[in-house]
Amino acid sequence: MKMFVEPADIYLYMDIVDFRKSINGLIVVVEQDMGLNPFRDALFVFCNKKRDKVKILYWDKTGFALWYKRLEKHRFKWPVETELQQLHVSEQQLQWLLSGYDVIGHQPLHYNASGL
């Protein structure tokens, strides 16, 4: 995704967000729930309950900007099998998420040999 900024960090907020929140409401989520500084060089990515909308909040050195995407037929493959409140992802992983791919990928399998 080409934006007007090249962020050092990208954070997915793992809990659902009420999408009536705009910039000020999302800043509060970043500060209070995520425990991060919203003025840092980062993108903060949020998803709604139906997983068909994404908002990205960022500070561009002159003010806050909010990017919004709504899918018409499908849902984002938002990571749900995590106990984390936020997930740090790469720019490539964000691109995958916005393109419809799973950013977590396969989970490791752990086997034990029986009878050894």
Side-chain angles (χ1 to χ4, degrees):
M1 170 175 70
K2 288 294 180 189
M3 298 183 109
F4 301 110
V5 296
E6 302 223 2
D9 297 303
I10 301 170
Y11 297 97
L12 302 184
Y13 181 64
M14 301 310 296
D15 203 2
I16 59 171
V17 173
D18 179 353
F19 263 42
R20 293 175 291 183
K21 291 182 192 254
S22 192
I23 291 175
N24 292 339
L26 294 174
I27 289 170
V28 171
V29 172
V30 171
E31 289 178 330
Q32 294 181 357
D33 295 349
M34 298 174 79
L36 297 171
N37 179 358
F39 294 97
R40 69 185 298 162
D41 184 18
L43 299 180
F44 303 99
V45 187
F46 306 92
C47 195
N48 68 333
K49 186 175 184 176
K50 289 174 52 177
R51 309 279 188 234
D52 64 345
K53 298 178 183 96
V54 166
K55 285 186 179 182
I56 300 176
L57 175 73
Y58 62 95
W59 173 255
D60 75 353
K61 309 273 188 277
T62 60
F64 283 100
L66 187 62
W67 188 88
Y68 180 72
K69 181 172 183 175
R70 180 185 74 199
L71 297 178
E72 295 300 322
K73 292 186 179 182
H74 300 286
R75 295 174 184 224
F76 290 102
K77 293 187 179 2
W78 197 261
V80 292
E81 298 296 325
T82 180
E83 296 176 9
L84 302 173
Q85 187 165 14
Q86 63 202 26
L87 182 64
H88 189 265
V89 297
S90 69
E91 191 171 344
Q92 179 65 57
Q93 287 173 306
L94 177 60
Q95 190 69 264
W96 289 338
L97 177 71
L98 296 175
S99 297
Y101 298 104
D102 191 348
V103 298
I104 298 294
H106 299 287
Q107 298 297 321
L109 299 175
H110 301 286
Y111 292 102
N112 291 324
S114 61
L116 293 181

